[in-house]
Amino acid sequence: MKKKVAIIGSGISGLSAASYLAKEGFEVHVFEKNSQPGGRARQFTTDNGYTFDMGPSWYWMPDIIDNFFKDFGYQASDFYSLVRLDPQFDIIFADGKLSLPDSYGDMKALFEQIEPGAGKQFERFMDSAKYKYEVGMQDFVTKPCLSWFEFLSLKIAKGALKLDLLTDYRSYVKKYFSNPMLVALMEFPVIFLGASPKDIPALYSLMNYGGYGLGTYYPLGGFYELVKAMKTVAEQQGVNFHFGHTAEKIITDGGSVTALRVNGVTMDFDAVVASADYHHTETLLDKQHRNYTEEYWEDRTFAPSCLIYYLGFTEKIPNLKHHNLFFGHDLDTHIDAIYKTKEWPEDPLFYACCPSKTDDMVAPKGHENVFLLLPLAIGIEDGEALREKYLGKMIEEMEKISGIKNLRSKIDYQRSYCVSDFTQDYNAYKGNAYGLANTLRQTAVLKPSIRNKKLDNLYYTGQLTVPGPGVPPSIISGKIVAKEINKNIPSRYEKVV
């Protein structure tokens, strides 16, 4: 008879953990409070013909994503079609813009054109980034990080200096480049990690290889195609999904979890995996069984929340690419507003995604689908008036590059999403959007543990634990937890003789 595992939440890490556990012979039940899978990677459609991905939009590290499907005898192309973007994205500055081409040779030529000698420096930077990617994604991020002894391998010891663990990312980039546009271009990928480049280890230049080196892709139909594919894989392994089901209490006896109360009903389980917000999951436990105190969470450095606008426009917007980074103001000033003063930035930087440049399915013919994202401090006020004020600021910047006046009058669909929505929909701590920042003091063993230290069959997965925020890391996180459960808990009850 199979042992039963409950998974709280159907985000990327929950889908991953569910698939791997079911493959190993467990009876797996996924409980999701919302009406569809995906967590922050959900999708919605409108009555007037738009389809919006609600969260992730950068399809990077395609090898990591494809490895998930290979583990079940598939490849990503069995479920959806990927388009490789060229240019990968535009960065718009106050005095010009850069388009990052897809070709490595063209990237090198672009760097050389902007700063003599930078082409060779780009090659050196990317060679080092490739090494970090290969070591990091194979030897670092796949570890459960329950002990520092996990990292005592000959390969890691030999490569320790080349991994630049103790160098900050900004100093590292400036060893190679001095032109401010090139520095911004190379710093951009680590913004996904939720902290200033001054506070992130140079190890994470691996992100540059995972993006620039391996290419930027888009799955036709939207990023949600990945969620649907992962759900299909899970169901084929026998996973049971329960949508509109809210986990209300984790019930324990002695040093173990015995049951989960969902929608007022108590159900017995042999193990529980929390793919929901880590802090929220701990509130489902009695205080003596929690890994961390409220003071612990207050002392963490969280990645930002954000203001998102899902917009439909009645006409095409010139000079806008699929991915666009509006860096017309000072990056450090915006970062200070997130981490120091914790207020709305006066002169914000933001990201605009326009998937209708690539995909005819996401907007009515002749219309444009635009997703705007402005990083913010967690836990701040986000009333409608503030949201509208900052929409105005972002539209103004879009008008400058498009040449269209009164662009706001062209909007025929509008929806905002901000700090309080992340709290309501995902129980996100203070409305964070991207989990914990990947600072040195919050890396590896210093992240919240994947195992409950007082209950022997409660595990945690997702962006608040190892390996960290992002879609590929979340896929890996689910696999790590499944391996730990499979190692520590037999999938079947022993026969009674």
Side-chain angles (χ1 to χ4, degrees):
M1 183 177 177
K2 293 182 178 181
K3 287 193 175 179
K4 295 171 64 178
V5 178
I7 296 181
I8 304 172
S10 67
I12 297 293
S13 66
L15 292 170
S16 174
S19 299
Y20 286 110
L21 285 167
K23 183 183 178 184
E24 292 297 335
F26 290 92
E27 180 183 328
V28 181
H29 293 264
V30 179
F31 298 100
E32 169 59 56
K33 65 173 286 195
N34 294 305
S35 61
Q36 62 183 133
R40 287 163 170 79
R42 292 181 297 157
Q43 188 180 77
F44 72 93
T45 58
T46 71
D47 292 339
N48 58 342
Y50 294 98
T51 297
F52 292 98
D53 284 320
M54 295 188 69
S57 59
W58 292 83
Y59 197 106
W60 275 1
M61 303 184 185
D63 55 328
I64 303 299
I65 296 173
D66 214 43
N67 283 343
F68 168 81
F69 293 110
K70 286 178 181 177
D71 283 343
F72 299 92
Y74 298 104
Q75 50 191 3
S77 59
D78 292 327
F79 299 96
Y80 49 82
S81 298
L82 283 177
V83 176
R84 187 161 177 154
L85 301 181
D86 189 12
Q88 297 190 44
F89 58 87
D90 277 3
I91 299 189
I92 298 101
F93 300 98
D95 55 355
K97 73 174 182 179
L98 285 180
S99 288
L100 186 75
D102 177 57
S103 159
Y104 186 86
D106 289 345
M107 277 188 259
K108 187 176 173 181
L110 174 66
F111 274 65
E112 186 65 30
Q113 178 186 339
I114 294 169
E115 180 180 315
K120 185 65 176 177
Q121 289 291 81
F122 174 75
E123 190 172 4
R124 290 180 56 239
F125 185 101
M126 292 298 285
D127 284 346
S128 178
K130 181 180 180 181
Y131 174 82
K132 293 185 182 78
Y133 186 87
E134 290 172 346
V135 174
M137 301 311 287
Q138 292 176 18
D139 294 280
F140 266 65
V141 303
T142 58
K143 298 186 182 300
C145 295
L146 298 171
S147 166
W148 288 113
F149 289 107
E150 296 169 25
F151 297 92
L152 295 181
S153 75
L154 183 62
K155 184 176 182 180
I156 291 175
K158 282 183 175 179
L161 290 176
K162 293 173 70 175
L163 293 173
D164 295 298
L165 288 165
L166 300 179
T167 305
D168 75 86
Y169 192 80
R170 172 156 292 170
S171 298
Y172 180 76
V173 169
K174 288 190 174 181
K175 288 180 182 178
Y176 291 87
F177 312 105
S178 59
N179 182 278
M181 290 194 294
L182 295 184
V183 170
L185 182 64
M186 300 311 279
E187 286 186 346
F188 154 66
V190 302
I191 294 173
F192 282 120
L193 302 176
S196 167
K198 296 180 291 186
D199 300 319
I200 288 177
L203 165 69
Y204 289 107
S205 63
L206 63 86
M207 293 284 289
N208 296 77
Y209 181 76
Y212 304 172
L214 297 179
T216 300
Y217 295 81
Y218 170 80
L220 289 175
F223 208 97
Y224 194 65
E225 293 300 310
L226 170 62
V227 173
K228 291 194 297 185
M230 291 184 72
K231 179 174 181 283
T232 297
V233 168
E235 288 173 329
Q236 289 177 349
Q237 308 311 306
V239 174
N240 304 282
F241 286 92
H242 310 273
F243 298 105
H245 282 66
T246 301
E248 299 163 339
K249 181 71 176 176
I250 299 173
I251 299 166
T252 64
D253 184 15
S256 300
V257 172
T258 57
L260 194 63
R261 189 167 70 232
V262 181
N263 287 7
V265 178
T266 299
M267 292 172 270
D268 294 339
F269 286 99
D270 298 291
V272 171
V273 176
S275 175
D277 179 89
Y278 200 123
H279 171 269
H280 170 72
T281 299
E282 296 255 276
T283 69
L284 305 183
L285 291 164
D286 294 332
K287 282 189 177 181
Q288 68 269 25
H289 293 137
R290 298 174 187 176
N291 274 350
Y292 305 105
T293 63
E294 287 297 319
E295 290 75 21
Y296 170 89
W297 294 109
E298 285 287 343
D299 191 48
R300 298 306 92 188
T301 300
F302 275 80
S305 185
C306 55
L307 168 64
I308 300 172
Y309 265 95
Y310 310 100
L311 303 173
F313 290 88
T314 57
E315 61 184 65
K316 292 294 184 181
I317 302 175
N319 303 319
L320 201 64
K321 301 296 195 302
H322 188 120
H323 294 302
N324 310 267
L325 304 165
F326 284 80
F327 276 36
H329 302 293
D330 182 63
L331 172 62
D332 287 338
T333 301
H334 189 137
I335 287 173
D336 285 347
I338 294 172
Y339 295 107
K340 292 183 178 178
T341 59
K342 297 184 179 179
E343 60 188 4
W344 286 75
E346 185 59 33
D347 296 310
L349 283 67
F350 67 97
Y351 159 63
C353 179
C354 189
S356 49
K357 295 293 183 186
T358 305
D359 192 348
D360 292 337
M361 295 185 284
V362 299
K365 187 175 181 180
H367 290 226
E368 210 79 284
N369 174 316
V370 177
F371 167 106
L372 301 180
L373 185 151
L374 190 162
L376 293 172
I378 64 171
I380 62 174
E381 179 190 351
D382 68 341
E384 194 60 35
L386 274 169
R387 298 184 188 197
E388 284 288 320
K389 173 184 175 181
Y390 280 83
L391 172 60
K393 287 176 178 280
M394 291 187 283
I395 291 289
E396 184 178 333
E397 295 300 315
M398 290 175 61
E399 287 176 342
K400 290 178 185 177
I401 71 156
S402 69
I404 299 176
K405 295 180 179 179
N406 199 16
L407 187 57
R408 203 161 182 171
S409 68
K410 314 292 185 183
I411 295 174
D412 67 342
Y413 180 81
Q414 174 178 318
R415 175 184 174 184
S416 65
Y417 202 93
C418 202
V419 180
S420 58
D421 299 298
F422 282 99
T423 302
Q424 178 177 318
D425 287 356
Y426 310 122
N427 298 306
Y429 181 77
K430 293 189 177 181
N432 79 83
Y434 302 107
L436 288 175
N438 272 2
T439 59
L440 191 58
R441 68 185 286 262
Q442 295 180 168
T443 296
V445 178
L446 301 178
K447 284 185 179 291
S449 175
I450 64 166
R451 291 194 67 174
N452 187 283
K453 301 168 185 178
K454 299 154 190 175
L455 301 165
D456 61 11
N457 57 348
L458 174 59
Y459 295 78
Y460 308 82
T461 186
Q463 62 180 10
L464 282 169
T465 184
V466 294
V471 170
S474 291
I475 291 174
I476 293 169
S477 184
K479 185 175 183 178
I480 290 171
V481 162
K483 280 185 176 180
E484 284 299 299
I485 292 175
N486 194 47
K487 182 172 69 177
N488 296 312
I489 303 172
S491 63
R492 294 179 179 273
Y493 293 103
E494 292 185 10
K495 293 181 179 179
V496 178
V497 179

